[in-house]
Amino acid sequence: MPELPEVETVRRRLLTCLPGLLLRELVVNDPSVSEQSAEELTSLVAGRRVTGLRRRGKYLLVDLGPTEAPGAELTGPAAGGYAGPAVAVIHLRMTGQLVFRPEPGERPARFIWRLEPGTELYFQDVRRFGRLWAFEPAAEEDFFASRCMGPEPFGPEFTLEYLRGALAGRRAPLKAFLLDQRRIAGVGNIYADEALYRARLHPLRSAGSIGPREALRLHAALLETLQAGIDHEGSSIESFIDPAGERGSFQEILNVYQRTGESCRVCGTTVERTVVGGRGTHYCPRCQPRRRGMAPGSRRRLGAITPPRSAKPADWEAPGR
DNA sequence: AGTGGCTCCTGGCGGC
DNA sequence: TGCCGCCAGGAGCCAC
């Protein structure tokens, strides 16, 4: 499941090969990949050069320069319409993969970018949830405003004060709170479970019940977990591979996600699974008790989220890394 | 307004 | 062995 670390991994990998290339042609094999028509998408991306790659939450943004018309190649909608810079936005959702320079015989792509000189970017997506948009740069703000995106976890707005304010008064379970992109952008099922484990907070605790010290733990745990995901180049659990076909390694150091029935790396208690907001949710019932102040080590000093030395998970890193 | 539930979609897996 | 039905989940939509 591509979440913030996976999309960031894709962005970094594409950053090594896409900028400077001319997007010669857009091939839309599956029109349901976009609410826009193939003609409209083409008019906004074809004949433009990739100038940059950005990420907003789980969205990947590809900056494109103004239309370049090599000879008479540029015909159709792109010829008479808007010719300024543009932005293409891709959301991988569940199974989306961007593959640069696909191998011969690569499975069908929902869309293909044919690039100069002679390279291709494939968008493969088994479950077909992924989406593509393209618009003028001026429309970008509206695009994200209409989605009420919360702050970037690594941005200046995601402060402890912001988190405390966002948690306050909410009755929704913590897990549902973390998955809500309007509160924090980029957190998905894997990293929500892992961050709650690190913060020693039960996923069913109501968001509004979180105290100041617990909010501090959650804030640190979110940043540490997402950073660890980026450092490990994502989690390759279902189908995630980066554009070069490489798998991430975060799945190898998961503490609770999809470890139902296995032993907690800290206390040895069996990891349990429940459903919160329709999503599979994994937690250690001892390290993440439903009652406040019951977790092992919860009386430790503020911000001390390191587990007992005797059972240190492989990926447990010092706060503030 | 906030919250929960449904929907989309298809490969994989368990059960019979 | 083969078939059927369920499950996974990000985000948009809808109902309460």
Side-chain angles (χ1 to χ4, degrees):
Chain A
M1 281 67 68
E3 304 180 24
L4 186 155
E6 286 74 28
V7 179
E8 179 63 18
T9 299
V10 170
R11 187 189 77 84
R12 291 181 182 188
R13 196 75 75 180
L14 289 178
L15 212 44
T16 67
C17 53
L18 270 196
L21 299 189
L22 183 71
L23 206 167
R24 184 167 53 83
E25 184 188 0
L26 167 69
V27 179
V28 178
N29 291 326
D30 179 1
S32 71
V33 76
S34 181
E35 57 212 36
Q36 296 168 274
S37 68
E39 289 71 24
E40 185 184 357
L41 291 169
T42 296
S43 73
L44 283 157
V45 304
R48 289 179 165 83
R49 202 171 292 275
V50 177
T51 57
L53 286 145
R54 291 175 291 140
R55 181 189 56 72
R56 176 83 175 90
K58 302 174 194 172
Y59 292 85
L60 180 71
L61 288 76
V62 183
D63 290 313
L64 300 163
T67 299
E68 297 175 21
E73 222 174 274
L74 200 65
T75 55
Y82 172 75
V87 182
V89 178
I90 299 162
H91 198 304
L92 305 174
R93 294 278 180 96
M94 296 290 298
T95 54
Q97 297 173 349
L98 285 166
V99 183
F100 187 66
R101 290 181 184 276
E103 297 288 325
E106 196 87 39
R107 60 194 301 171
R110 298 186 71 200
F111 68 79
I112 303 167
W113 286 3
R114 296 201 199 285
L115 304 150
E116 295 284 1
T119 53
E120 290 181 344
L121 185 72
Y122 260 47
F123 182 67
Q124 301 183 334
D125 183 21
V126 167
R127 291 188 198 166
R128 300 170 63 199
F129 282 170
R131 290 291 179 267
L132 168 70
W133 300 264
F135 37 71
E136 301 175 21
E140 184 182 322
E141 198 177 321
D142 282 350
F143 179 83
F144 288 108
S146 70
R147 284 163 173 76
C148 305
M149 297 275 289
E152 280 294 313
F154 295 109
E157 292 173 39
F158 185 63
T159 59
L160 177 57
E161 289 65 36
Y162 168 81
L163 181 62
R164 283 178 178 163
L167 289 163
R170 304 209 178 274
R171 291 180 292 115
L174 265 183
K175 172 68 181 281
F177 172 88
L178 293 181
L179 292 181
D180 189 342
Q181 302 300 297
R182 295 169 300 178
R183 312 298 170 206
I184 309 165
V187 180
N189 213 31
I190 300 170
Y191 295 92
D193 280 5
E194 293 296 313
L196 286 172
Y197 174 79
R198 284 196 185 217
R200 299 195 314 267
L201 295 169
H202 195 288
L204 284 169
R205 286 272 304 277
S206 77
S209 76
I210 299 307
R213 291 185 178 196
E214 292 174 321
L216 179 61
R217 291 211 304 270
L218 181 58
H219 187 265
L222 278 166
L223 294 178
E224 289 168 22
T225 307
L226 292 169
Q227 186 61 54
I230 294 171
D231 292 344
H232 287 82
E233 299 179 317
S235 312
S236 293
I237 288 181
E238 287 223 358
S239 59
F240 173 71
I241 53 168
D242 73 18
E246 302 286 330
R247 289 168 56 84
S249 62
F250 192 68
Q251 72 280 1
E252 293 163 16
I253 56 164
L254 293 172
N255 287 307
V256 285
Y257 185 79
Q258 288 195 348
R259 292 193 67 241
T260 311
E262 296 178 40
S263 298
C264 169
R265 300 189 202 278
V266 170
C267 72
T269 303
T270 302
V271 172
E272 293 185 5
R273 181 183 183 277
T274 184
V275 175
V276 185
R279 297 292 170 254
T281 298
H282 314 74
Y283 65 101
C284 168
R286 182 150 184 261
C287 293
Q288 300 167 264
R290 284 197 74 165
R291 285 174 55 201
R292 285 177 68 165
M294 297 297 288
S298 62
R299 287 165 198 251
R300 283 162 170 260
R301 209 163 52 80
L302 184 103
I305 67 166
T306 307
R309 270 173 301 170
S310 56
K312 205 170 187 178
D315 69 323
W316 209 285
E317 294 150 356
R321 175 204 150 83

